[in-house]
Amino acid sequence: MLQINLNRFQIFALFIIGIIIIFLGIYAINKRTNELTNQKYLETTQEMQHTLQTYIDEKKDAMLLIAHTLAQNDTLHQALYENNHEAIHMNNLIHIIEKTSIQDIWFHIVNKDGISFYRSWTNKRLDSIKEARLDLAHMLENPQPISGISVGIYDITFKALVPIYYKGALIGIVEAISKTNSLIPKMKKQNFDMVVVVDKKYTEQLSYPYTNHFIENYYIATPSVNPNYLELIQTHSLDTLIHNNTYILDTKTNLIAAKTILYDVANEPMAYVLLFAPAESISLVNTYTTLFRSYFIFFLFLSLVGGFIISFYVRRTNLVMTIVNKKLSRQVEEKTQHLQYLAHHDTLTALPNRLLFIDRLKQAILHANKNNTSLSVLFLDLDRFKEINDSFGHEWGDRLLIAISKRLQRLVRPVDTIARLGGDEFIILVEEVTLAETTHLLQKIFSAMEKPIFIEKTPTYTTFSVGISRYPHDGITPEILIRNADTAMYRAKETGKNKYQFYDAIMTEKTMQRLTLEINLRNAIKEDQLVAYFQPQIDAATKKVVGAEALVRWIDPEKGIIPPYDFIPLAEEIGIIGLIDEWMMQRCFKLIKELQSEGLFHGKLSLNLSVQQLEQANFLEQLESFLKKYDFNPHFLELEVTESQIMQNPQAAITTLNNIKNLGISLAIDDFGTGYSSLSYLKRLPIDKLKIDKSFIKDLRDGSEDAAIVKAIIALAGSLSLNLIAEGVETEEQKEFLLKEGCHNIQGYYYAKPLELEEFKTFLKNF
């Protein structure tokens, strides 16, 4: 047993040490409590700032979209082109504004000569505003969309400027304006409030301020201010509030105050938003719980270990603690350095990540602006990388990315920056470079990618699609330069891959058109603008209706019927084709069930099955629930899949199709002969029917190549005991050829085009 003999001095020393430990423990607990309270207030402050920034971004995006929509107005184009300002009236353009949820919007039309062509807030027209409105004058010299916040002679407003093009030429500018005060009610719904103050340097510019409220030479843009906020501002001073980087807790008014800076186009402070939240609304229950728990654990710990602490000499304890502290300090330092490295680098390739790249791009922009030089941003996306991953596995793909990153590093200068944004996307910053030098670098990259990359002695080939944006021509901020380079990259990929494309402002316009189509399509699903059409399937030998294929149509309130080829590819790309297919399945079950109950339809309903449905984990459960919901007999249902869908993952497809077959549902292969199927898989598929693609029917005649293909498909179906149907049949000659060769089931315009419900009913009654 350990024997310890302590003299009075040692006992007194240990007693003093114990008292010190208790006081230090209480101090640490109180400090931790204060830290938790401070953290809670900081979280509230960050929530206020984040909420405000979200609303600001939403408003800026909405104003930009409105300006883009106005810039595409045909009436406006014609009026500007013909220099006929009287042709523009509020009722020509107001419908565009009325479609939005935004209130108090003004817009301004300026022609290419800087003449104010139309202002929604006054009847005054045809006055030159180049000298008075420098932003519009600059826009005419360098036309590209701008969205931000601006200080005028009346107030602070959201503003979006978009160039107007007609027949390939710039004919003017649309300026959309809205008050920033619209943010106040949104913030109040979140139990936050705000006061907007404009910087001193704009005091003289506000010739006709709306409120006439100034404090410390700052203009208060908020229409009415809570007296408590004014009291808080006067207590702490406005300068203190706007230069505070965290928050201020005012005990008298019991308010938490913070600020957000609004920047102008030059990234200079333009205004400050003072944010307020009542301190009593912030729950500190967890903090007090932590305080109580800490005290309890601390005193319990003291009572348990107090007897053991005195058994060790102070010198030995200090020595051990010194060693431990040094070791911990080294570990913490190493861990901190490692975490800092991980925060700024890609873990796979060790290249800089997006965060570090943006920081370097900011510094490069400052340098280029100071020295009047240019820089280029190259956005690189690997072609066919998904195919390589799916074919060889993700480990193979990772090794390929590492090899590509090393190859790219050998092509650029040490001063340039290569980063990996994630997935198969890389981005390169090239400073102090001309257009010709940028093109030369691109040629080096494409030449290098012509050489194979060997992985496990296997040559692997891949290429890049590259988009390039240039500073300052294509943007003056990192976000705009990266976004425009990304837009150009997608244009390069659309033109055939393994290409590069420099950014052009027209690309943004097309991107906005695609974004508008996406928004409208999502809205169409919500507002039930989709309609089911049915194309009859006829047994040409018996002249009986044996089935009908359901086809989706989009009926836009303004544009009318939008054909599937205009929106189905987009729906597949953005991942909502599954929603459309679910809607079609339920809608068609309901309508066909009604036709069956009326005795009009006795054939099979054919529905197209998308890749997303085929790969959906709960698809079978969903299908069974829909059949049960509408009491739909699976014997009257046929699902169509394409060869390309099956061949993406044949084994999984066979399993899924067998499960569907077990429900009593028929299966057909659509567009047969146009894909890349294998006969070895075809005979293993649980299918009932082959559907001859219309591309083989179009030029069908005896002796033609298409005739030989159709005969071969008919023979193949016969050998596999499969049913047949030919789609796209339009002529008597095509029908007779198919009948002669043994294909009786016909679908096409020869009998009927796709019909909406009432037309389909009429067809069934009269056929």
Side-chain angles (χ1 to χ4, degrees):
M1 181 178 291
L2 179 65
Q3 296 292 328
I4 300 176
N5 297 317
L6 301 175
N7 56 34
R8 292 181 179 180
F9 176 79
Q10 290 173 327
I11 293 173
F12 178 75
L14 288 174
F15 175 78
I16 295 300
I17 291 172
I19 295 296
I20 292 173
I21 290 174
I22 292 173
F23 277 106
L24 289 175
I26 294 172
Y27 171 77
I29 292 171
N30 289 334
K31 182 180 179 182
R32 178 57 181 160
T33 303
N34 292 334
E35 289 174 353
L36 290 174
T37 304
N38 180 60
Q39 181 181 347
K40 197 69 179 178
Y41 289 152
L42 280 174
E43 288 173 358
T44 301
T45 299
Q46 292 166 357
E47 182 183 358
M48 287 193 293
Q49 293 168 334
H50 176 73
T51 301
L52 175 63
Q53 191 60 49
T54 299
Y55 289 147
I56 289 174
D57 291 342
E58 289 176 355
K59 191 67 175 284
K60 287 166 65 177
D61 290 344
M63 294 303 297
L64 188 59
L65 182 58
I66 289 170
H68 268 290
T69 306
L70 287 167
Q72 297 169 11
N73 183 268
D74 292 336
T75 302
L76 181 59
H77 287 173
Q78 197 66 27
L80 282 167
Y81 185 72
E82 295 175 356
N83 197 25
N84 181 11
H85 65 90
E86 295 180 353
I88 301 179
H89 302 284
M90 177 66 78
N91 56 6
N92 295 135
L93 304 175
I94 193 63
H95 67 281
I96 298 172
I97 308 301
E98 290 175 343
K99 291 181 180 179
T100 71
S101 60
I102 304 174
Q103 303 297 320
D104 299 326
I105 297 175
W106 300 270
F107 47 88
H108 186 192
I109 313 300
V110 180
N111 68 12
K112 62 184 178 63
D113 298 318
I115 302 301
S116 180
F117 208 69
Y118 177 80
R119 282 175 275 191
S120 64
W121 61 87
T122 180
N123 292 326
K124 188 176 181 181
R125 304 188 183 194
L126 301 183
D127 52 322
S128 176
I129 61 166
K130 273 190 173 183
E131 295 182 0
R133 297 291 299 278
L134 297 179
D135 52 348
L136 287 169
H138 176 71
M139 180 77 166
L140 289 169
E141 295 176 1
N142 185 22
Q144 60 179 347
I146 297 174
S147 178
I149 304 176
S150 169
V151 176
I153 61 174
Y154 297 102
D155 208 345
I156 178 170
T157 57
F158 286 100
K159 181 184 292 186
L161 294 150
V162 173
I164 307 171
Y165 288 92
Y166 182 65
K167 295 182 177 181
L170 178 71
I171 61 173
I173 296 172
V174 167
E175 178 185 48
I177 305 167
S178 178
K179 289 184 178 181
T180 56
N181 290 330
S182 60
L183 300 176
I184 296 175
K186 290 186 176 183
M187 292 293 288
K188 285 186 176 179
K189 287 183 179 180
Q190 305 299 324
N191 204 25
F192 304 139
D193 213 338
M194 55 184 274
V195 174
V196 181
V197 294
V198 180
D199 199 274
K200 296 177 182 180
K201 62 186 177 183
Y202 290 98
T203 302
E204 295 182 3
Q205 182 175 323
L206 289 156
S207 307
Y208 309 102
Y210 281 138
T211 67
N212 287 321
H213 290 168
F214 290 84
I215 184 169
E216 299 180 22
N217 291 329
Y218 290 87
Y219 168 62
I220 301 180
T222 310
S224 59
V225 182
N226 188 312
N228 287 336
Y229 305 157
L230 289 176
E231 182 179 353
L232 189 151
I233 291 170
Q234 290 169 352
T235 300
H236 297 276
S237 90
L238 189 54
D239 273 327
T240 300
L241 286 170
I242 66 178
H243 289 101
N244 180 58
N245 291 324
T246 54
Y247 68 88
I248 288 177
L249 173 63
D250 185 79
T251 55
K252 185 175 181 181
T253 59
N254 203 27
L255 288 170
I256 295 289
K259 70 96 174 26
T260 291
I261 304 175
L262 302 181
Y263 295 94
D264 59 18
V265 177
N267 206 29
E268 292 293 330
M270 176 184 66
Y272 305 91
V273 181
L274 303 181
L275 300 166
F276 300 94
E280 63 264 23
S281 66
I282 302 171
S283 175
L284 297 177
V285 173
N286 292 336
T287 302
Y288 296 133
T289 301
T290 302
L291 176 63
F292 174 81
R293 187 183 297 124
S294 299
Y295 272 118
F296 177 80
I297 294 173
F298 176 67
F299 284 111
L300 179 63
F301 171 79
L302 286 178
S303 63
L304 291 175
V305 304
F308 296 95
I309 292 177
I310 62 175
S311 65
F312 296 95
Y313 292 103
V314 175
R315 252 183 303 173
R316 181 178 295 274
T317 302
N318 288 339
L319 178 62
V320 172
M321 290 303 297
T322 300
I323 295 172
V324 171
N325 285 337
K326 287 182 179 180
K327 184 177 179 180
L328 287 176
S329 296
R330 285 197 302 269
Q331 291 177 347
V332 169
E333 184 178 356
E334 291 171 359
K335 192 70 174 178
T336 301
Q337 291 175 352
H338 181 63
L339 291 174
Q340 188 174 10
Y341 178 84
L342 291 178
H344 293 87
H345 290 81
D346 174 47
T347 55
L348 178 65
T349 63
L351 291 174
N353 61 12
R354 178 186 289 271
L355 184 65
L356 182 55
F357 181 83
I358 290 176
D359 182 68
R360 291 187 180 178
L361 182 52
K362 286 180 180 177
Q363 300 302 320
I365 289 172
L366 292 174
H367 178 77
N369 186 49
K370 180 180 179 181
N371 296 280
N372 196 26
T373 57
S374 299
L375 60 85
S376 294
V377 175
L378 282 60
F379 198 111
L380 298 82
D381 185 271
L382 278 175
D383 300 324
R384 299 173 43 254
F385 183 69
K386 184 178 184 301
E387 296 177 23
I388 295 173
N389 252 350
D390 293 342
S391 301
F392 298 100
H394 290 283
E395 182 180 351
W396 190 287
D398 288 346
R399 293 172 68 179
L400 177 63
L401 290 172
I402 293 170
I404 288 174
S405 68
K406 292 179 179 177
R407 182 172 290 186
L408 288 175
Q409 285 175 296
R410 291 193 294 268
L411 297 175
V412 301
R413 304 167 302 181
V415 295
D416 299 329
T417 297
I418 303 176
R420 180 179 176 229
L421 300 183
D424 57 352
E425 293 180 340
F426 295 85
I427 193 164
I428 302 176
L429 166 62
V430 190
E431 298 186 57
E432 296 185 1
V433 65
T434 64
L435 185 61
E437 290 169 335
T438 301
T439 304
H440 178 66
L441 173 59
L442 288 164
Q443 291 169 349
K444 286 171 58 180
I445 292 172
F446 279 88
S447 296
M449 295 306 293
E450 291 175 359
K451 301 175 184 177
I453 294 174
F454 288 90
I455 300 175
E456 296 181 0
K457 298 182 180 180
T458 301
T460 304
Y461 293 88
T462 186
T463 56
F464 275 123
S465 294
V466 185
I468 309 98
S469 63
R470 300 262 300 153
Y471 174 87
H473 181 266
D474 299 325
I476 59 174
T477 66
E479 292 77 12
I480 293 175
L481 287 168
I482 294 173
R483 183 186 66 203
N484 290 345
D486 187 20
T487 300
M489 180 275 294
Y490 275 105
R491 179 56 55 85
K493 198 171 281 288
E494 288 172 2
T495 58
K497 303 179 182 179
N498 194 24
K499 297 181 184 298
Y500 65 83
Q501 181 77 48
F502 283 89
Y503 174 76
D504 188 291
I506 296 176
M507 296 178 183
T508 301
E509 182 179 348
K510 291 186 176 180
T511 301
M512 289 301 298
Q513 291 173 351
R514 182 184 178 282
L515 177 60
T516 301
L517 179 62
E518 178 181 339
I519 293 171
N520 291 340
L521 178 56
R522 292 183 185 275
N523 189 54
I525 297 173
K526 293 179 182 177
E527 298 192 0
D528 206 22
Q529 295 176 5
L530 301 181
V531 177
Y533 275 52
F534 301 93
Q535 188 170 32
Q537 297 173 336
I538 311 297
D539 185 335
T542 63
K543 295 184 173 56
K544 291 184 178 180
V545 178
V546 294
E549 180 180 3
L551 303 164
V552 66
R553 296 292 185 269
W554 174 11
I555 302 182
D556 186 89
E558 295 183 358
K559 299 179 180 178
I561 296 179
I562 299 177
Y565 53 77
D566 279 352
F567 68 90
I568 291 297
L570 175 62
E572 292 174 342
E573 181 183 342
I574 63 178
I576 63 172
I577 189 66
L579 296 176
I580 295 176
D581 289 338
E582 289 176 20
W583 181 91
M584 275 291 289
M585 187 173 285
Q586 295 196 72
R587 182 65 175 167
C588 292
F589 283 178
K590 181 177 183 297
L591 296 179
I592 293 298
K593 187 70 179 177
E594 292 174 359
L595 293 177
Q596 289 174 340
S597 65
E598 295 175 19
L600 294 176
F601 184 71
H602 307 286
K604 288 195 175 187
L605 166 67
S606 292
L607 287 172
N608 291 291
L609 188 62
S610 68
V611 176
Q612 290 184 21
Q613 283 182 299
L614 198 61
E615 296 178 347
Q616 188 175 323
N618 66 338
F619 172 65
L620 284 172
E621 296 177 9
Q622 188 182 73
L623 177 58
E624 288 184 275
S625 70
F626 291 163
L627 290 169
K628 184 177 180 181
K629 177 180 178 180
Y630 296 98
D631 191 24
F632 196 90
N633 189 340
H635 174 73
F636 294 107
L637 177 61
E638 180 176 80
L639 296 179
E640 298 182 6
V641 294
T642 63
E643 295 176 87
S644 58
Q645 288 174 304
I646 296 172
M647 296 312 296
Q648 286 185 19
N649 192 345
Q651 288 299 121
I654 290 172
T655 301
T656 302
L657 294 177
N658 273 315
N659 291 332
I660 295 173
K661 182 75 173 178
N662 291 337
L663 296 177
I665 298 169
S666 301
L667 295 168
I669 292 186
D670 194 10
D671 302 337
F672 184 76
T674 63
Y676 305 94
S677 62
S678 166
L679 291 179
S680 63
Y681 278 111
L682 182 61
K683 66 182 182 182
R684 293 169 55 194
L685 295 172
I687 58 173
D688 304 281
K689 182 186 291 183
L690 297 181
K691 196 167 188 180
I692 304 174
D693 187 66
K694 60 186 177 183
S695 62
F696 302 124
I697 304 297
K698 182 178 180 182
D699 297 321
L700 188 61
R701 61 184 182 280
D702 281 324
S704 68
E705 183 179 325
D706 286 340
I709 295 173
V710 170
K711 289 179 181 179
I713 294 174
I714 294 173
L716 176 63
S719 65
L720 296 176
S721 300
L722 297 175
N723 295 322
L724 272 173
I725 186 169
E727 63 177 346
V729 178
E730 298 183 357
T731 66
E732 178 75 20
E733 180 184 3
Q734 294 167 349
K735 184 200 76 169
E736 291 300 325
F737 178 91
L738 292 166
L739 277 174
K740 182 181 70 172
E741 296 300 327
C743 179
H744 296 176
N745 293 330
I746 303 295
Q747 179 180 339
Y749 276 44
Y750 179 79
Y751 285 110
K753 65 179 182 178
L755 306 169
E756 56 88 23
L757 181 62
E758 293 303 320
E759 293 175 330
F760 185 48
K761 283 184 179 181
T762 303
F763 177 86
L764 293 173
K765 291 176 182 177
N766 298 331
F767 188 74

